[in-house]
Amino acid sequence: MDGFLPIDRARRKTLKTAIGCVGVGLHSGRRVSLTLRPAAAGTGIVFRRTDLGIDVPARFDRVADTRLCTALVAADAPQARIGTVEHVMAALAGTGVTDAILDIDGAEVPILDGSAAPFVFLIDCAGTTSLNLPAPVIEVLRRVRVEEKGAFVELQPSATAGFEAELTIDFPSTAIGSQSVGMRVTPAAFRAGLADARTFTLAEEIARLRAAGLAQGGSLANAIVVDGPLVLNPGGLRRPDEFVRHKLLDVVGDLALAGAQLSGRFIGHRSGHALNNKLLRAMFADRSAWRLVEGEVPMDGATTRMPAAAAPAMA
């Protein structure tokens, strides 16, 4: 059909077996156990608060807090919070996992080393298997843009199928400064270029964050700490532009809350969790800005669905 991209119809994917880890929450400082479990096709990604017996779907419309992380809450149980979901969500999206139950016995995903690499390692150890349903794909049909205080994010249609991203950051700290990165975010590119990029903070911000009840579990083992021109971590950086690569990792994790692979182009300048979520909300609020190519995406108790047989033919 003219005007539509030829989308690669991948299959939904889940884990072959359950696998878990134990760590501390970056902001809470509390010990937490996380187990990734296989799920049936169409389940999507669901966090299960095992201490409360409450499920929280990993969706953009369940985001309730974006202060230095992305946090989800259950629609009818605000006490069922899941904080710092972005790194594990990025790992699942980056490895193509569409369906999984994530058992967690606390209110925050363990930070591990501050990147998505440990979660990718867990997924690789468990293995993945294809399911007998097409993976959902959301094609961006027209530009959607959100701006705030000199920062902006936008999604654009792309000339080719798949997800492309371009991001710039600008920090006063000379160790960070202005950095940019752009790539076609394929599974291989995610693993090679984004997965191991760690979260970071400024040394002068730590006392303020802890006074606000944040960063209680932060350390040089799970975050890069910058003091002016210095990187305080003994091992230094994993790559010179690790800062912007981590911010793009966050974009991948936050946009994975769309519930489907995006086919389009992302452009951002000084983006953060709040803007990333506002971008998804703006896109889904404008039905002319996107189309579901295949599969189904649940939202607010309803399901947007396009069975494979009814999907428009691709050129």
Side-chain angles (χ1 to χ4, degrees):
M1 180 178 294
D2 291 342
F4 289 130
L5 294 176
I7 303 295
D8 179 17
R9 290 194 176 99
R11 312 305 290 178
R12 300 189 76 109
K13 186 187 291 186
T14 192
L15 303 170
K16 285 184 177 178
T17 189
I19 193 165
C21 63
V22 176
V24 299
L26 175 63
H27 295 299
S28 68
R30 295 176 181 171
R31 180 185 181 278
V32 63
S33 174
L34 174 73
T35 302
L36 285 63
R37 299 187 183 280
T43 300
I45 307 300
V46 176
F47 289 90
R48 177 164 292 161
R49 281 288 300 265
T50 56
D51 54 329
L52 300 177
I54 296 175
D55 287 356
V56 184
R59 297 201 316 251
F60 73 96
D61 53 345
R62 295 276 60 84
V63 172
D65 191 357
T66 52
R67 291 180 304 158
L68 300 179
C69 75
T70 296
L72 309 172
V73 296
D76 54 354
Q79 76 276 18
R81 173 188 168 99
I82 312 289
T84 318
V85 303
E86 59 271 14
H87 301 165
V88 69
M89 288 301 302
L92 292 164
T95 55
V97 174
T98 59
D99 299 280
I101 302 293
L102 278 58
D103 287 354
I104 186 167
D105 64 358
E108 188 178 13
V109 174
I111 189 62
L112 302 181
D113 79 343
S115 78
F119 298 113
V120 172
F121 175 76
L122 290 173
I123 293 166
D124 287 346
C125 288
T128 59
T129 185
S130 294
L131 300 168
N132 194 29
L133 277 179
V137 176
I138 294 171
E139 183 183 350
V140 180
L141 299 179
R142 70 177 191 82
R143 189 180 77 146
V144 179
R145 182 181 175 102
V146 178
E147 301 180 29
E148 190 173 278
K149 299 179 181 178
F152 74 85
V153 288
E154 68 178 50
L155 285 168
Q156 304 174 352
S158 176
T160 57
F163 183 64
E164 300 173 78
E166 180 181 326
L167 180 65
T168 61
I169 62 173
D170 190 5
F171 282 79
S173 172
T174 53
I176 305 174
S178 179
Q179 296 186 350
S180 63
V181 66
M183 66 174 64
R184 184 174 180 82
V185 186
T186 64
F190 177 82
R191 288 173 179 272
L194 298 181
D196 68 346
R198 295 163 295 173
T199 192
F200 59 93
T201 190
L202 307 181
E204 62 265 29
E205 293 289 308
I206 294 175
R208 181 185 63 81
L209 292 173
R210 288 183 171 164
L214 301 170
Q216 304 298 309
S219 73
L220 294 178
N222 55 39
I224 303 168
V225 179
V226 171
D227 188 1
L230 303 176
V231 172
L232 301 185
N233 302 65
L237 298 175
R238 291 175 174 173
R239 58 190 81 207
D241 60 350
E242 187 170 359
F243 304 103
V244 71
R245 288 178 183 272
H246 181 78
K247 285 293 190 179
L248 187 53
L249 184 156
D250 282 346
V251 168
V252 172
D254 288 341
L255 296 189
L257 297 175
Q261 174 193 337
L262 293 176
S263 183
R265 180 174 178 80
F266 170 91
I267 299 177
H269 174 64
R270 295 172 50 207
S271 75
H273 301 299
L275 275 183
N276 296 338
N277 185 249
K278 288 178 180 179
L279 182 62
L280 284 184
R281 290 178 183 270
M283 183 190 74
F284 280 110
D286 183 355
R287 195 59 186 85
S288 68
W290 59 279
R291 72 169 185 127
L292 187 60
V293 177
E294 198 155 44
E296 58 183 41
V297 180
M299 288 184 286
D300 276 336
T303 299
T304 299
R305 182 180 288 110
M306 182 179 287
M314 299 295 120

